Amino acid sequence: MGYDRAVYDAANEILAARRLHAEQEAERRRADLYRVQPRAQEIDRKLSRAGTAAARAVLHGGDVRQNLEQLRRRSHALREELRALLAQQNMTEADLEPHYHCPLCQDRGNIDGRMCRCMKSLLKEEALRRLNADTPLKLCSFESFDVSYYPETPQINGSSPQQMMERIFLYCRKYAETFNAHTTESLLMTGKTGLGKTHLSLAIAGRVTERGFGVVYGSAENLLKKLQDEHFGRSRGDTMNSLLNCDLLILDDLGTEFRSSFTVAAIYNIINSRQLTEKPVIISTNLSLKELTEYYTERFSSRVIGSYTCIPFVGNDVRQMKHR
């Protein structure tokens, strides 16, 4: 999945903390046992030396089988004695071992080179947490989208704004439910401010992230400012890598950013690079198709208009209606 490097780092930090806590708790339980049962510590030391003794028995020759059998019987007797001491404290041998949060990978995040399901879950949770921190994600779900705010008249090509927005809502929900990082189309959401472009793009972001994909969501203004600051050394980061490699990139409010030769080139590079690697993008903008061409050159508009699915939002300013 194309998560931001910071998401991976955060998930690894959580796993490391879990692992450390489990091992420290095991050491604490062992120390408590030794304090009330000193003999248990002595037995542990003898058992730890048993492996070395077995290796020596093999290296020194002689009757190796007999020597190993004696060591096995001795170790067995020591373990039985240790179990009895543990039982006196209402403990078992399992209490002396770390109780990892994930017993499958022991909080390492991978099993034989494959990502463990606990790591996948952590990545999804961390990505959602970051998305929630930066955007009003909980306020912008599919469940909270209300088409009744859109007028039932006038008719536009045989449909009312409400009917058109109902179809757009269903399309966006299906887009999120069937999203695939390599085969899903890119979207261009156009229309005046307050018509629900941000709401539905955030709803898509939340659902796609819940399904385990890496989503980068942000206003064009904020993301381009980050790129510019990193490019000119005013801050450190790897924003461009995240924008190019995430499973889904959502650029909200394209056209509100301060335009310069740098930002125009950066936007073109992002759109062109993701198109070449077949990674989907969702762009929302208040600009018309003609204004997109005027603002970002024909090279940019030909990429977007020629290959993106255009979704025109219609109706009245829903935000103003809700405020009233």
Side-chain angles (χ1 to χ4, degrees), residues 160-175:
S160 69
Q162 187 175 114
Q163 291 171 326
M164 294 175 69
M165 290 307 301
E166 175 72 23
R167 288 197 290 268
I168 288 173
F169 165 77
L170 293 174
Y171 176 88
C172 290
R173 189 171 65 181
K174 183 178 180 181
Y175 182 97

Side-chain angles (χ1 to χ4, degrees), residues 280-299:
V281 180
I282 295 177
I283 295 175
S284 73
T285 181
N286 300 335
L287 301 178
S288 66
L289 298 181
K290 180 181 178 183
E291 288 171 327
L292 279 174
T293 302
E294 293 172 352
Y295 282 35
Y296 300 107
T297 73
E298 285 192 25
R299 282 202 312 165

Side-chain angles (χ1 to χ4, degrees), residues 94-220:
D95 292 315
L96 301 181
E97 300 300 325
H99 296 169
Y100 294 109
H101 192 274
C102 178
L104 296 176
C105 70
Q106 297 186 340
D107 296 335
R108 289 186 174 88
N110 63 83
I111 306 171
D112 298 329
R114 298 191 309 274
M115 186 181 294
C116 181
R117 65 189 184 193
C118 72
M119 181 63 163
K120 293 178 181 178
S121 179
L122 275 176
L123 289 171
K124 183 170 67 174
E125 290 171 10
E126 180 62 19
L128 272 172
R129 187 192 68 77
R130 288 168 180 261
L131 197 55
N132 269 307
D134 296 335
T135 60
L137 189 61
K138 290 182 179 178
L139 301 177
C140 297
S141 64
F142 288 115
E143 291 73 21
S144 63
F145 190 81
D146 188 355
V147 295
S148 68
Y149 282 102
Y150 298 88
E152 297 184 19
T153 56
Q155 295 287 307
I156 305 171
N157 296 326
S159 298
S160 69
Q162 187 175 114
Q163 291 171 326
M164 294 175 69
M165 290 307 301
E166 175 72 23
R167 288 197 290 268
I168 288 173
F169 165 77
L170 293 174
Y171 176 88
C172 290
R173 189 171 65 181
K174 183 178 180 181
Y175 182 97
E177 294 292 347
T178 60
F179 178 84
N180 181 292
H182 298 290
T183 60
T184 298
E185 67 270 27
S186 294
L187 306 180
L188 175 63
M189 297 179 173
T190 63
K192 296 181 295 182
T193 185
L195 296 183
K197 299 186 299 298
T198 295
H199 189 125
L200 285 180
S201 61
L202 272 171
I204 291 172
R207 184 68 189 104
V208 170
T209 302
E210 285 175 358
R211 293 182 55 224
F213 293 97
V215 179
V216 172
Y217 178 99
S219 70

Side-chain angles (χ1 to χ4, degrees), residues 181-187 243-247 249 251 266-283 298-309:
H182 298 290
T183 60
T184 298
E185 67 270 27
S186 294
L187 306 180
L243 299 182
L244 295 182
N245 294 305
C246 61
D247 294 323
L249 171 63
L251 292 175
I267 291 172
Y268 176 79
N269 178 42
I270 292 165
I271 298 304
N272 187 55
S273 297
R274 289 187 65 88
Q275 189 174 42
L276 291 173
T277 55
E278 298 182 333
K279 291 181 179 292
V281 180
I282 295 177
I283 295 175
E298 285 192 25
R299 282 202 312 165
F300 170 83
S301 60
S302 66
R303 290 286 190 279
V304 174
I305 298 171
S307 59
Y308 284 42
T309 298

Side-chain angles (χ1 to χ4, degrees), residues 25-80:
E25 284 297 294
E27 285 301 313
R28 180 189 60 76
R29 291 191 297 272
R30 190 179 291 272
D32 289 343
L33 174 66
Y34 292 165
R35 191 161 46 250
V36 296
Q37 296 283 5
R39 170 64 179 162
Q41 185 172 18
E42 184 181 348
I43 292 172
D44 265 347
R45 287 172 180 164
K46 289 182 178 180
L47 286 172
S48 65
R49 289 197 293 266
T52 305
R56 286 175 180 167
V58 173
L59 292 173
H60 291 165
D63 193 340
V64 175
R65 179 174 295 179
Q66 182 179 350
N67 290 338
L68 289 177
E69 180 59 25
Q70 288 176 350
L71 286 169
R72 189 193 67 77
R73 287 199 300 268
R74 196 178 307 155
S75 295
H76 180 73
L78 287 170
R79 288 195 177 279
E80 287 299 314

